[in-house]
């Protein structure tokens, strides 16, 4: 009996590469990684599994309908997990068109390729097939001081990025309702962990601190996010794929609501312990904190109600905020070469998303 095949789009990205590593190391699935390899895609993140005979890489843009159809024909996936997306909010402010192209048009191309492929499957395989769309809690907009996002929260996206992801969520739901395509959607909170592109808060703070550079915090730093360790997210995604109900949405959160300022101070404290030889004669890394003009349309608070996935599917995060952040700092300290190669590319740690 052949191993089941999973098609992972965006498998060279941050969350995608964590998922691919998890699938190869923990399961017996055959994994086809379809990735365009933009600035945020990095095959080095897949080094531990790249030589495994159950792993295949296809460099393909999800907007290329002919190539996507070829991948379906050649690899015959039993399910697809769709993570390919433009995902950096600041970049969406600078250039929203790329987000519409990839996140909206690309998802449409993928859905149509999946539908054509699914329609031709034998009945038993049609029933088992799944299209799992991985999305974000940012589609729900901004919360006040109280309350949590649930699977029934209204969509109120406030950035070009979240608007494009909201659109892709709606399309997946529509393809399920209109065509019967067996689909699931997951909306997750802020991920952090190894191999994250350094535009994001956690790696940017770690790398800037080690270099003695300012640690930029938007506004007062009082924006609240729920923080989810990326390996916990990978476990949740697999659980949803294997045991979630078709047509359902599942919110995935880490039970770790922290302000951005709390996150930065936590990272500084961990670095004080692990790298006490501070750069530039400072006494503590916290001294590098610099408050900068807030991001346009910056949502104040996100918080996830993850009770549905916990009660229905039995998933819970394994990492606490402190253990996950410590593991993350350790990874960046031990993988300086990976970091340097990323920073040698087009991104230099500059501020993005400033409206002139």
């Amino acid at each position: 009996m052949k191993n089941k095949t999973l098609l992972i789009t965006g498998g060279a990205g941050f969350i995608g590469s964590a998922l691919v590593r998890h699938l190869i190391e923990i399961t017996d699935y055959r994994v086809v990684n379809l990735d365009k390899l933009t600035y945020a895609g990095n095959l080095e993140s897949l080094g531990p599994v790249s030589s495994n005979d159950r792993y295949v890489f296809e460099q393909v843009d999800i907007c290329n309908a002919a190539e996507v159809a070829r991948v379906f024909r050649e690899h015959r996936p039993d399910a697809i997990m769709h993570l390919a997306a433009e995902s950096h909010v600041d970049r969406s402010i600078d250039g929203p068109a790329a987000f519409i192209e990839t996140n909206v048009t690309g998802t449409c191309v993928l859905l149509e390729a999946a539908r054509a492929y699914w329609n031709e499957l034998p009945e038993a395989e049609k029933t088992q097939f799944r299209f799992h769309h991985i999305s974000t809690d940012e589609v729900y907009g901004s919360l006040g001081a109280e309350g949590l996002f649930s699977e029934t929260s209204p969509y109120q996206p406030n950035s070009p990025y979240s608007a494009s992801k909201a659109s892709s969520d709606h399309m997946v739901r529509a393809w399920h309702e209109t065509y019967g395509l067996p689909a699931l959607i997951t909306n997750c909170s802020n991920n952090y962990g190894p191999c994250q592109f350094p535009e994001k808060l956690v790696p940017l703070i770690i790398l800037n601190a080690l270099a003695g550079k300012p640690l930029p915090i938007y506004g007062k730093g009082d924006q609240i996010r729920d923080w989810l360790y990326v390996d916990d997210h990978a476990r949740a995604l697999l659980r949803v794929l294997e045991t979630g109900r078709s047509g359902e949405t599942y919110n995935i959160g880490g039970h770790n609501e922290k302000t951005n300022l709390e996150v930065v101070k936590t990272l500084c404290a961990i670095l004080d312990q692990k790298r006490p030889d501070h750069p530039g004669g400072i006494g503590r890394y916290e001294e590098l904190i610099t408050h900068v003009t807030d991001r346009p349309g910056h949502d104040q608070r996100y918080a996830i109600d993850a009770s549905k996935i916990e009660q229905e599917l039995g998933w819970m995060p394994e990492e606490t905020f402190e253990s996950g952040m410590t593991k993350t700092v350790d990874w960046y300290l031990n993988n300086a070469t990976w970091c340097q190669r990323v920073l040698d590319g087009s991104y230099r740690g500059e501020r993005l998303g400033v409206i002139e």
Side-chain angles (χ1 to χ4, degrees):
M1 183 176 172
K2 75 178 183 69
N3 293 6
K4 286 188 174 181
T5 297
L6 299 183
L7 174 59
I8 312 295
T9 71
F14 168 48
I15 299 172
S17 63
L19 176 62
V20 171
R21 292 192 303 270
H22 182 70
L23 291 169
I24 294 296
E25 292 166 358
I26 305 298
T27 76
D28 61 359
Y29 287 114
R30 178 173 174 268
V31 175
V32 179
N33 171 15
L34 185 158
D35 200 294
K36 182 182 177 181
L37 293 184
T38 62
Y39 64 91
N42 188 347
L43 291 179
E44 286 190 54
S45 302
L46 294 158
V49 300
S50 59
S51 61
N52 191 290
D53 60 6
R54 290 186 289 110
Y55 171 78
V56 178
F57 174 64
E58 289 274 8
Q59 185 170 352
V60 170
D61 183 346
I62 59 169
C63 294
N64 185 331
E67 277 294 280
V68 170
R70 176 190 63 78
V71 169
F72 273 96
R73 281 196 311 273
E74 291 186 8
H75 296 287
R76 313 292 301 171
D78 297 276
I80 177 170
M81 301 176 81
H82 175 35
L83 297 93
E86 290 281 353
S87 66
H88 297 271
V89 177
D90 286 356
R91 282 183 184 260
S92 81
I93 296 169
D94 283 354
F99 287 70
I100 305 305
E101 177 72 10
T102 297
N103 300 356
V104 181
T105 303
T107 298
C108 181
V109 168
L110 205 59
L111 282 165
E112 281 294 84
R115 182 166 73 95
Y117 168 76
W118 172 72
N119 274 328
E120 295 177 356
L121 290 174
E123 201 56 41
E125 292 179 34
K126 282 187 78 171
T127 304
Q128 295 299 314
F129 184 81
R130 290 291 182 272
F131 187 108
H132 180 182
H133 177 62
I134 288 82
S135 190
T136 171
D137 59 358
E138 296 192 38
V139 298
Y140 300 125
S142 183
L143 283 168
E146 303 294 328
L148 301 168
F149 292 135
S150 75
E151 288 80 1
T152 58
S153 294
Y155 275 36
Q156 295 180 317
N158 291 319
S159 71
Y161 161 63
S162 57
S164 69
K165 288 298 289 185
S167 178
S168 64
D169 288 11
H170 291 322
M171 286 194 300
V172 173
R173 188 172 291 109
W175 261 248
H176 171 75
E177 294 293 337
T178 302
Y179 304 112
L181 184 71
L184 306 119
I185 299 170
T186 49
N187 298 87
C188 70
S189 57
N190 272 37
N191 278 229
Y192 69 97
C195 303
Q196 189 170 25
F197 192 74
E199 277 177 11
K200 296 290 190 172
L201 178 66
V202 171
L204 182 64
I205 294 302
I206 295 170
L207 297 178
N208 275 19
L210 292 172
K213 296 179 180 179
L215 308 181
I217 293 183
Y218 289 160
K220 298 176 183 176
D222 58 352
Q223 305 89 355
I224 294 173
R225 301 292 182 263
D226 173 35
W227 293 87
L228 175 65
Y229 190 64
V230 70
D231 290 348
D232 277 334
H233 188 197
R235 290 191 308 103
L237 294 177
L238 180 59
R239 184 70 59 88
V240 170
L241 179 76
E242 292 184 331
T243 63
R245 290 179 290 135
S246 177
E248 292 292 318
T249 294
Y250 297 91
N251 281 351
I252 304 170
H255 302 297
N256 292 310
E257 284 185 57
K258 305 288 181 184
T259 67
N260 286 348
L261 188 58
E262 285 179 292
V263 172
V264 173
K265 288 186 173 181
T266 297
L267 291 170
C268 288
I270 295 170
L271 285 167
D272 283 336
Q273 292 179 337
K274 293 181 176 288
R275 284 289 172 88
D277 185 15
H278 297 83
I282 59 170
R284 296 183 305 155
Y285 288 102
E286 227 177 269
E287 295 173 29
L288 296 169
I289 290 176
T290 305
H291 291 269
V292 299
T293 305
D294 205 354
R295 168 196 293 159
H298 202 167
D299 292 335
Q300 180 60 29
R301 175 174 171 260
Y302 304 146
I304 283 277
D305 176 359
S307 58
K308 180 177 177 179
I309 188 174
E310 292 166 5
Q311 293 168 8
E312 291 190 13
L313 308 185
W315 173 88
M316 288 277 288
E318 293 179 0
E319 299 296 339
T320 65
F321 179 74
E322 291 73 19
S323 70
M325 285 293 173
T326 300
K327 283 186 174 181
T328 301
V329 170
D330 284 340
W331 189 87
Y332 282 95
L333 291 177
N334 294 327
N335 289 273
T337 301
W338 183 95
C339 299
Q340 192 54 51
R341 286 180 178 171
V342 170
L343 293 171
D344 282 345
S346 61
Y347 179 66
R348 305 287 182 179
E350 73 273 19
R351 171 75 191 275
L352 302 170
V354 179
I355 297 176
E356 300 296 344

